Amino acid sequence: MGKKIAIVGAGAAGMSAAHALSAAGDSTFSVTVIERANCCGGMATSEKIDSQKFGAEFVNDGVQGASPQFANTYALFDLLGFKASEVELQVSFGRDKEEDFWSNVFPSNVIDKYSDDIKRFGWVLKVIKRMEPLFGLIPVDVMLSMFRFSPGFGDVIVYPLVALFMGTGQQTPYVSSVILERLFLDPSMKLFDYSPDSFLASIPPMRAFPKLSDVYAEWKTRLEDSGVTFALETQVLSVERNKSGVTILTQNVKNSNTLHEGEILGDILEMHFDEIILACDADTALKILGKDATFLERKVLGNVKYLYDVSITHSDQEYMEKYYQLKFQEDLFSSKRKEDPKAQQSKEFAKRNFKPLYFIRSYPADKRKIEMSFDLTNYQPQFGDKSDKPHVYQTIFLDKDDSSYLWTESEIRPESIILKKWWKQQSHRWQHYGGTVPWKMMWINGKNHTYYCGAWTILNMHEIAIASGFAVAYQMGADYPFKDNDEARRMFALVLGVSHGTRMRGEDRKGFFA
């Protein structure tokens, strides 16, 4: 029997940690994964829908897809026998053709309106890149003011873009400016190429994930075959750590959910381990540690702020048409570019092929606050070509405590609602990168028999969650499974450095700084 390891959380981070530890063999680690839900996957879930009505049997409702740069994610899919599907990343921002509508598919009047800001933006990205340590502590709204961008450029262009693709929601004005820079310049994270003429240079490729419930079910089966034990529908109540190891109290829980409504609690059990990996969100980790938390753990974990969002999966076409531009119209096209051959080419393309996957709008009463939607029928491959079926959409209403007074949730017809689900989302405010990332995580990781992993340790992305789980296992002596994949290793090395303050082992490195 090897060293006994408890992993709290069976999302991407916890499963990745279990994957790497179990690959070391039974004699090295004995791994138990503890998860509140009745299945693995965390936010990466799938839900059944009416196939006769909508033309597909399921939707992925928590995680839709990702950039092609997410090499660890796709390497895992390959290992498990799944493939992501390529789609074109088309986005429709706003609705009013003069005030807030723009797209990465063709130029609009709004892009022309902010042309001076757009041209200056490329130079500012380079400045942020050169001075990342400084701009890591400067929020986006302050940065935009520093460089004298017009207020509308932030409200209409910058905030919606970052919120949509970095998952920063209503906190976007207060996130670190480095997040904005990395959206364009970081080879492991970027989605778009910058254009001084149209802001976004192209329609980049995107990948839609396969059925995630099947992915995680297969992953669980393979880990069990490798000796990993799973305790599903089980929550950790408390942890006590001493020199000899970790004692935890667990409790069975039925009907678990984000708001803890209607849960049924069961028996309490005491368990003993040598080490614990907290692959859950930061405030859950702090609650589990309780009085046993050290001063640094309270400071670092307590600095992570969470917000509550609700997603409504529905088929209300009228709601979508009221608040978003779903189809190309001649008057949406830039009135100043009728003689521009390149712009005209994009217009002709849009006439035939404008099928946005993502939609985002600002609330008129507060343009810094936004609502997001997805066209799941256009996005997810299981729908195929179902032009004769109602489209399935998902609309996300963000930050319940601070923004629910703006929500238009009640306008979605009740009979069109397929699924309603609450989510707990990390805030990416600049304080996160001053009080938690990067220097603080390495001060608590690996101390007191305790390790931490999850997307919250850096940025809310499935890819970072996976890399963070691998990094914890690596620090405990396991191998990194994709060390021959240069793109995957780049992200892993970044996460390892930021969260643990170390480099890959000498035999795994390619270059001194890897």
Side-chain angles (χ1 to χ4, degrees):
M1 179 71 71
K3 183 181 289 187
K4 295 180 66 178
I5 310 295
I7 300 175
V8 182
M15 295 290 278
S16 298
H19 180 101
L21 291 171
S22 65
D26 293 340
S27 61
T28 308
F29 301 104
S30 175
V31 180
T32 299
V33 178
I34 304 168
E35 167 60 48
R36 291 186 90 253
N38 62 3
C39 61
C40 301
M43 294 182 66
T45 58
S46 308
E47 296 288 347
K48 293 181 179 179
I49 62 172
D50 186 338
S51 61
Q52 292 296 316
K53 182 175 182 179
F54 300 114
E57 295 182 349
F58 74 94
V59 293
N60 288 330
D61 71 323
V63 181
Q64 315 292 340
S67 161
Q69 280 77 22
F70 284 15
N72 286 281
T73 298
Y74 303 126
L76 266 173
F77 287 170
D78 288 343
L79 195 65
L80 296 171
F82 294 88
K83 291 285 184 184
S85 302
E86 288 198 5
V87 292
E88 289 186 337
L89 178 50
Q90 297 190 25
V91 191
S92 176
F93 294 91
R95 190 181 190 285
D96 189 284
K97 63 181 180 181
E98 300 298 336
E99 294 297 324
D100 59 7
F101 172 76
W102 64 284
S103 173
N104 67 317
V105 181
F106 60 92
S108 69
N109 290 327
V110 168
I111 292 298
D112 293 336
K113 180 178 180 180
Y114 296 109
S115 60
D116 291 341
D117 294 295
I118 289 170
K119 287 181 172 63
R120 190 162 70 256
F121 183 76
W123 172 76
V124 171
L125 286 177
K126 294 176 183 177
V127 173
I128 297 172
K129 179 70 174 178
R130 293 191 195 102
M131 304 176 68
E132 271 199 354
L134 171 63
F135 281 95
L137 299 177
I138 297 178
V140 172
D141 63 342
V142 173
M143 180 275 294
L144 292 174
S145 178
M146 283 172 55
F147 290 104
R148 299 185 179 279
F149 287 102
S150 61
F153 180 66
D155 293 343
V156 175
I157 305 291
V158 175
Y159 299 152
L161 178 71
V162 178
L164 188 59
F165 293 108
M166 291 301 193
T168 52
Q170 314 297 39
Q171 299 297 304
T172 302
Y174 319 114
V175 305
S176 165
S177 299
V178 170
I179 290 180
L180 176 61
E181 171 255 313
R182 296 212 165 193
L183 182 62
F184 287 90
L185 301 182
D186 188 311
S188 297
M189 295 183 184
K190 80 170 188 175
L191 289 170
F192 296 101
D193 291 319
Y194 161 76
S195 166
D197 297 319
S198 57
F199 191 57
L200 304 182
S202 61
I203 304 173
M206 192 79 167
R207 292 186 183 176
F209 287 169
K211 187 177 181 181
L212 290 171
S213 59
D214 288 352
V215 172
Y216 277 86
E218 175 65 19
W219 204 358
K220 175 176 177 286
T221 297
R222 294 199 186 190
L223 291 179
E224 287 175 325
D225 291 343
S226 298
V228 176
T229 299
F230 283 84
L232 301 182
E233 297 186 307
T234 303
Q235 64 179 344
V236 176
L237 298 176
S238 64
V239 168
E240 183 178 336
R241 301 168 294 181
N242 54 44
K243 292 182 179 180
S244 62
V246 182
T247 299
I248 65 176
L249 289 182
T250 66
Q251 182 179 39
N252 297 126
V253 55
K254 300 287 187 182
N255 304 327
S256 66
N257 60 85
T258 301
L259 299 182
H260 306 295
E261 295 175 344
E263 294 181 339
I264 302 172
L265 304 180
D267 297 334
I268 296 176
L269 178 68
E270 183 176 283
M271 306 172 75
H272 301 276
F273 297 91
D274 298 305
E275 310 278 346
I276 187 170
I277 298 173
L278 292 170
C280 49
D281 55 70
D283 61 351
T284 297
L286 194 56
K287 181 180 178 181
I288 288 171
L289 293 174
K291 294 180 180 179
D292 201 50
T294 65
F295 171 79
L296 276 177
E297 286 171 329
R298 290 195 297 272
K299 293 293 288 185
V300 175
L301 301 177
N303 184 62
V304 184
K305 182 179 180 181
Y306 287 90
L307 310 171
Y308 287 89
D309 306 335
V310 64
S311 67
I312 298 181
T313 305
H314 63 93
S315 59
D316 193 336
Q317 188 76 13
E318 291 182 6
Y319 179 89
M320 295 298 293
E321 290 176 347
K322 179 178 180 179
Y323 288 114
Y324 304 103
Q325 292 289 354
L326 307 186
K327 299 176 181 179
F328 177 79
Q329 300 174 42
E330 288 280 348
D331 60 355
L332 295 176
F333 184 76
S334 166
S335 60
K336 296 182 178 180
R337 306 198 191 197
K338 294 180 179 179
E339 306 302 321
D340 182 338
K342 186 176 180 181
Q344 287 297 317
Q345 186 178 11
S346 67
K347 176 182 176 180
E348 292 304 315
F349 175 86
K351 285 181 179 179
R352 301 186 304 272
N353 303 293
F354 188 55
K355 295 180 179 179
L357 311 183
Y358 292 84
F359 304 86
I360 189 164
R361 71 181 182 102
S362 300
Y363 291 111
D366 187 344
K367 290 188 176 296
R368 289 190 168 198
K369 297 184 184 296
I370 54 96
E371 170 190 300
M372 301 187 298
S373 290
F374 307 93
D375 187 329
L376 302 186
T377 301
N378 283 348
Y379 198 157
Q380 299 185 11
Q382 67 272 19
F383 286 94
D385 182 15
K386 298 292 188 297
S387 56
D388 60 328
K389 303 286 187 180
H391 277 224
V392 177
Y393 302 101
Q394 184 177 92
T395 300
I396 305 177
F397 300 94
L398 302 162
D399 192 0
K400 173 180 178 289
D401 293 337
D402 190 52
S403 302
S404 59
Y405 70 98
L406 296 167
W407 291 0
T408 51
E409 171 193 1
S410 61
E411 295 184 30
I412 298 176
R413 291 182 294 108
E415 63 270 23
S416 75
I417 295 176
I418 301 167
L419 179 69
K420 181 176 180 179
K421 189 178 288 189
W422 285 92
W423 307 91
K424 184 179 181 181
Q425 292 281 12
Q426 167 202 347
S427 166
H428 292 86
R429 58 193 184 142
W430 69 268
Q431 292 94 330
H432 186 69
Y433 298 91
T436 301
V437 182
W439 312 113
K440 307 300 191 301
M441 283 306 303
M442 64 184 71
W443 293 350
I444 63 172
N445 245 326
K447 308 297 191 297
N448 302 308
H449 304 288
T450 307
Y451 294 81
Y452 302 89
C453 58
W456 65 267
T457 58
I458 299 180
L459 184 68
N460 188 26
M461 289 182 171
H462 190 266
E463 174 76 354
I464 288 178
I466 287 176
S468 72
F470 287 149
V472 161
Y474 191 81
Q475 283 296 89
M476 300 177 79
D479 289 333
Y480 171 55
F482 305 127
K483 60 186 178 183
D484 294 326
N485 182 325
D486 289 346
E487 292 183 357
R489 193 183 65 252
R490 185 189 301 116
M491 175 61 79
F492 172 76
L494 170 66
V495 173
L496 184 66
V498 169
S499 293
H500 300 274
T502 189
R503 296 183 297 152
M504 295 179 71
R505 294 187 281 267
E507 63 270 22
D508 296 333
R509 289 201 300 269
K510 291 187 178 181
F512 180 80
F513 293 104

